[in-house]
Amino acid sequence: MITLKQLAELSGTSIRTVRRVLDNYPHVNSEKRKLILDLAKKYNYVPNMAARSLRLQKKNFVGILFSAFDKNASLHKLNLLNEALINNGFYPLLGKIAENNQLECEKMFANWAGIAEFVVVFIQADHDFTQKEFLSSMHRKYPLKFIFADCDMHDAEYIVAVDRAGSVEQMVHQIAEMGFKHFLYCGKLPSRKQGIEKLMHSRLPMQISMIESNYEFENGELLGDSIASSNADVVFFDTDRMAAGFYSYAQKHRIKIPEDIAVVGLDNEIYGSYLNPPLSTLSHPSEELIQRIMDIILKGKCAVDPLPLKFIVRESLQK
Amino acid sequence: MITLKQLAELSGTSIRTVRRVLDNYPHVNSEKRKLILDLAKKYNYVPNMAARSLRLQKKNFVGILFSAFDKNASLHKLNLLNEALINNGFYPLLGKIAENNQLECEKMFANWAGIAEFVVVFIQADHDFTQKEFLSSMHRKYPLKFIFADCDMHDAEYIVAVDRAGSVEQMVHQIAEMGFKHFLYCGKLPSRKQGIEKLMHSRLPMQISMIESNYEFENGELLGDSIASSNADVVFFDTDRMAAGFYSYAQKHRIKIPEDIAVVGLDNEIYGSYLNPPLSTLSHPSEELIQRIMDIILKGKCAVDPLPLKFIVRESLQK
DNA sequence: CTGAAAGCGCTAACAC
DNA sequence: GTGTTAGCGCTTTCAG
């Protein structure tokens, strides 16, 4: 690690001159310029980030908090955000939310303060309410701007919302138009359920039923009998992995998808397209989400209308 | 953002005293102590990371480079590493490998130099040879220590190796012991292939065949006919997603797994356990890998023996 | 064209 | 017990 000062000494000039050269300013004796450039290259001068940000009072880092790292969609968002940040000269700093240790979190935020201005929070809607409140309070305590991405928050300054309920509602309309007669919803997540409930008493030319259930793989499998005996011709699950569970049941019990019953999931997990037939799903608007996050970070502006999910129709949904 | 100096002024003492209090040192007038603590709390003093690391010449950051972010296993490793780093007082800094832009990479490394000592590189074995060479050269150019995790590198200082070939060989032995008679390998990745090739001329009581192929989902599906007519009673694929492709073929053609043919994949992707029957697989030794990385970072020591994959036998592999 | 120097916020050695 | 100060490496202002 060579410093500017050393470079100045080696070249027999001063720091000021070295800087002019490295900054590609004009008005430098060309011999000195060459000498300095050679030396910089030889000793591979790299500016010290810590000193630079101290001097410039600049916050180049962006914190990233994830709670559910296990889903394909989370990974995709992380990838996109990472790339966008780096392309714009920021350094993505990964954090973690310590489940039962708020002190640890606070320590992390304390350390981030001073180098980061923004913290992007990806916490699944429907989960972690206490953590969201905690984070919300951190916003007041530390000089950090929290951007809540798809978190179902209402009282924070920077929010990028995703309208799951509205998108689910929209999807049901589309399915009704396709000619299905009996729509079954399996799950319990409010973000989905609310969309269905809005339709329960509408005069859609399609019957709507619900089965309350958890949303894991096993639940989709366990619910098989109930679904089969429901007479529904299309079933929608809270998650793709729950839908995958039903696929497993269907295969064992020789239920044909979509002939006997059409299936739709949510999350657009990679394996959905590996299933037979490929699973239809509601996909996260990851690109748009990241775009909005970057708008906040770069321009401080924040669109208010929530983003819709994208309805991806594959072979599992055909009439 | 309040500073130590301001805190000293506000409390009518000096920096030195403020520090003693904040560091919980004894020998401070208890009235002053209380006053300072109150002020620190009121103005929410947090030390400035940039200043601290400049002063201490300390490198708290650890860079992380991923090339294949799309796999479940990568995500798991990232999660584990992230947690381990944070628990040990480091800040995980995400980077990206710009495909065709080494200049961009260099800029990133230049910026990392000064705040990071280590860079953990997760690049899939069998891929990205040019990038690996490039990274290897970066090691000499920038004052960064690259830890190559599961990268099939040989000439770097810090390597955490995973022995795919040996693990595949071992697995074939186990399968032979289970009583299978004809083992078929589908794929082309050298890390797997080499393990099989070692066995081709051994006197295992099991026939071994190979079909050269790419390792994506589609390939597993397209290879269905060849596999079905091969008379093999067990088939091993380069990747789980390729195995999933064969599952899709098998379902369409009423081939029963494992009765007609047993199946094994590699990667332990989450959806493997969602398949029907659950897919047997060779799993990445993620925990051990991260453990070794942390050993290098914390103690500078690096175990030399490569880590084996873990053979996970599920219902897709039964005699 | 080029040098000297202030100061970002922190730590730690040194003084009293 | 407590105050003063040097200096980490950088950027930038001010003089010449």
Side-chain angles (χ1 to χ4, degrees):
Chain A
M1 289 288 322
I2 196 170
T3 68
L4 272 189
K5 199 177 172 186
Q6 290 173 288
L7 228 40
E9 281 167 14
L10 285 169
S11 64
T13 63
S14 73
I15 292 183
R16 187 72 186 81
T17 309
V18 175
R19 288 224 38 110
R20 289 195 88 83
V21 172
L22 295 179
D23 288 350
N24 246 321
Y25 280 2
H27 311 306
V28 180
N29 176 307
S30 67
E31 264 180 48
K32 282 187 184 169
R33 157 163 271 135
K34 189 175 175 335
L35 174 64
I36 290 170
L37 282 175
D38 285 349
L39 283 169
K41 191 156 196 175
K42 180 176 171 195
Y43 293 103
N44 188 39
Y45 169 75
V46 282
N48 181 308
M49 264 288 298
R52 174 178 243 159
S53 45
L54 176 60
R55 173 65 229 242
L56 295 179
Q57 298 288 321
K58 213 175 155 189
K59 302 184 175 184
N60 281 318
F61 295 85
V62 173
I64 302 178
L65 286 179
F66 266 74
S67 72
F69 243 131
D70 58 317
K71 291 201 307 183
N72 179 262
S74 309
L75 186 54
H76 187 216
K77 289 176 200 163
L78 178 63
N79 250 333
L80 290 171
L81 178 61
N82 187 41
E83 182 143 359
L85 287 173
I86 292 175
N87 288 344
N88 285 284
F90 291 98
Y91 303 94
L93 201 48
L94 273 191
K96 75 158 193 188
I97 300 191
E99 292 293 331
N100 299 308
N101 197 339
Q102 301 198 338
L103 236 68
E104 207 178 304
C105 282
E106 293 214 28
K107 204 180 133 199
M108 183 176 70
F109 294 137
N111 284 323
W112 282 2
I115 55 170
E117 182 178 1
F118 290 99
V119 176
V120 180
V121 183
F122 291 100
I123 294 197
Q124 294 309 303
D126 306 307
H127 306 302
D128 306 308
F129 269 106
T130 46
Q131 290 187 357
K132 281 191 283 186
E133 275 171 32
F134 166 63
L135 289 174
S136 207
S137 75
M138 288 299 96
H139 163 64
R140 287 181 290 275
K141 187 158 176 188
Y142 296 97
L144 292 166
K145 292 176 186 163
F146 287 86
I147 301 176
F148 292 93
D150 192 8
C151 291
D152 199 27
M153 293 276 289
H154 300 292
D155 56 346
E157 191 179 355
Y158 298 106
I159 293 174
V160 182
V162 174
D163 182 19
R164 280 186 177 59
S167 304
V168 167
E169 195 184 340
Q170 189 65 36
M171 172 199 71
V172 179
H173 275 290
Q174 272 184 253
I175 288 176
E177 276 168 26
M178 290 172 81
F180 286 93
K181 294 300 169 200
H182 184 171
F183 177 97
L184 174 64
Y185 164 67
C186 297
K188 68 168 192 183
L189 294 174
S191 55
R192 286 79 157 153
K193 204 173 170 182
Q194 282 159 16
I196 307 288
E197 278 166 350
K198 270 198 198 169
L199 292 157
M200 292 293 271
H201 306 292
S202 70
R203 38 191 166 64
L204 219 55
M206 180 168 77
Q207 185 187 340
I208 294 183
S209 318
M210 299 177 72
I211 300 178
E212 175 118 353
S213 159
N214 207 344
Y215 44 81
E216 298 301 332
F217 179 82
E218 307 79 59
N219 305 105
E221 215 170 8
L222 290 170
L223 243 50
D225 286 337
S226 314
I227 295 169
S229 60
S230 71
N231 281 320
D233 55 358
V234 55
V235 55
F236 167 65
F237 296 98
D238 263 358
T239 62
D240 280 358
R241 58 184 186 279
M242 191 182 179
F246 178 67
Y247 264 67
S248 182
Y249 172 92
Q251 192 184 342
K252 284 175 193 153
H253 294 79
R254 306 213 170 278
I255 293 173
K256 282 188 203 152
I257 300 169
E259 293 83 352
D260 298 332
I261 187 163
V263 180
V264 182
L266 191 154
D267 274 342
N268 197 18
E269 299 268 12
I270 182 75
Y271 53 79
S273 58
Y274 294 171
L275 292 171
N276 185 24
L279 177 64
S280 304
T281 190
L282 285 169
S283 173
H284 297 229
S286 303
E287 283 81 4
E288 296 82 355
L289 193 79
I290 301 306
Q291 181 58 54
R292 290 202 175 177
I293 292 172
M294 293 309 296
D295 279 349
I296 294 174
I297 293 175
L298 294 172
K299 307 171 200 161
K301 84 171 186 186
C302 186
V304 284
D305 57 311
L307 291 165
L309 298 173
K310 281 177 277 189
F311 190 19
I312 299 180
V313 179
R314 300 205 187 97
E315 290 163 39
S316 75
L317 183 69
Q318 275 180 8
K319 195 63 197 171
Chain B
M1 291 289 321
I2 197 171
T3 68
L4 270 189
K5 200 176 170 186
Q6 289 173 289
L7 228 41
E9 281 167 14
L10 285 169
S11 63
T13 63
S14 75
I15 292 184
R16 185 73 185 82
T17 309
V18 175
R19 288 219 38 110
R20 290 195 87 84
V21 172
L22 295 180
D23 288 351
N24 248 320
Y25 279 2
H27 312 306
V28 180
N29 176 307
S30 68
E31 266 179 45
K32 284 187 185 170
R33 158 163 269 136
K34 190 177 174 336
L35 175 64
I36 290 171
L37 282 175
D38 285 349
L39 283 170
K41 192 155 197 175
K42 180 176 171 196
Y43 293 103
N44 188 40
Y45 170 76
V46 281
N48 181 308
M49 263 289 298
R52 175 178 240 156
S53 46
L54 176 60
R55 174 63 231 242
L56 295 178
Q57 298 290 332
K58 213 176 156 188
K59 302 184 175 185
N60 282 318
F61 294 85
V62 173
I64 302 178
L65 286 178
F66 266 75
S67 72
F69 243 133
D70 58 317
K71 291 199 309 183
N72 179 261
S74 308
L75 187 53
H76 187 216
K77 289 176 200 163
L78 178 62
N79 250 334
L80 290 172
L81 179 61
N82 188 42
E83 182 144 359
L85 287 173
I86 291 176
N87 288 344
N88 286 284
F90 292 98
Y91 303 95
L93 201 48
L94 273 191
K96 75 159 193 186
I97 300 190
E99 291 294 331
N100 299 308
N101 196 340
Q102 301 198 339
L103 237 70
E104 206 178 304
C105 280
E106 293 214 27
K107 206 179 133 199
M108 183 175 71
F109 294 138
N111 284 322
W112 282 3
I115 55 169
E117 182 177 0
F118 290 98
V119 176
V120 180
V121 182
F122 292 100
I123 294 196
Q124 295 309 303
D126 305 307
H127 306 302
D128 307 307
F129 268 106
T130 46
Q131 290 187 357
K132 280 191 283 185
E133 275 172 32
F134 166 64
L135 289 173
S136 207
S137 75
M138 288 300 95
H139 164 63
R140 286 181 291 273
K141 187 158 176 187
Y142 295 97
L144 292 165
K145 293 176 185 162
F146 287 87
I147 301 175
F148 292 93
D150 191 10
C151 291
D152 199 28
M153 293 277 288
H154 301 292
D155 55 347
E157 190 178 355
Y158 298 106
I159 293 174
V160 182
V162 174
D163 182 18
R164 280 186 177 60
S167 305
V168 167
E169 195 184 340
Q170 189 65 35
M171 172 199 71
V172 179
H173 276 290
Q174 272 185 253
I175 288 175
E177 276 168 25
M178 290 172 81
F180 287 93
K181 295 299 169 201
H182 184 173
F183 176 97
L184 174 63
Y185 164 67
C186 298
K188 68 168 192 183
L189 293 174
S191 56
R192 286 78 159 154
K193 204 173 170 182
Q194 282 160 15
I196 307 289
E197 279 166 349
K198 270 199 200 170
L199 291 157
M200 292 294 270
H201 307 291
S202 69
R203 38 191 165 66
L204 221 55
M206 180 168 77
Q207 185 187 340
I208 294 183
S209 318
M210 299 177 71
I211 301 179
E212 174 118 353
S213 159
N214 207 344
Y215 43 82
E216 299 301 331
F217 179 82
E218 307 79 61
N219 304 105
E221 216 170 8
L222 291 170
L223 243 50
D225 286 337
S226 314
I227 295 170
S229 60
S230 71
N231 283 318
D233 54 359
V234 54
V235 56
F236 167 65
F237 295 97
D238 263 358
T239 62
D240 280 357
R241 58 183 187 280
M242 192 182 179
F246 178 67
Y247 264 67
S248 182
Y249 172 92
Q251 193 184 342
K252 283 175 191 153
H253 294 78
R254 306 214 170 280
I255 293 173
K256 283 188 203 152
I257 300 170
E259 292 84 350
D260 298 333
I261 187 164
V263 180
V264 182
L266 191 154
D267 274 342
N268 196 19
E269 299 268 12
I270 182 74
Y271 54 78
S273 58
Y274 294 172
L275 292 171
N276 184 24
L279 177 64
S280 304
T281 190
L282 284 170
S283 173
H284 297 229
S286 304
E287 283 81 4
E288 296 82 355
L289 193 77
I290 301 306
Q291 181 59 53
R292 290 203 176 177
I293 292 172
M294 292 309 297
D295 279 349
I296 293 175
I297 293 175
L298 295 172
K299 308 172 200 162
K301 83 170 187 186
C302 187
V304 285
D305 57 311
L307 292 165
L309 299 174
K310 280 177 277 190
F311 190 19
I312 299 181
V313 179
R314 301 205 187 97
E315 291 162 40
S316 75
L317 183 69
Q318 276 180 7
K319 194 63 196 171

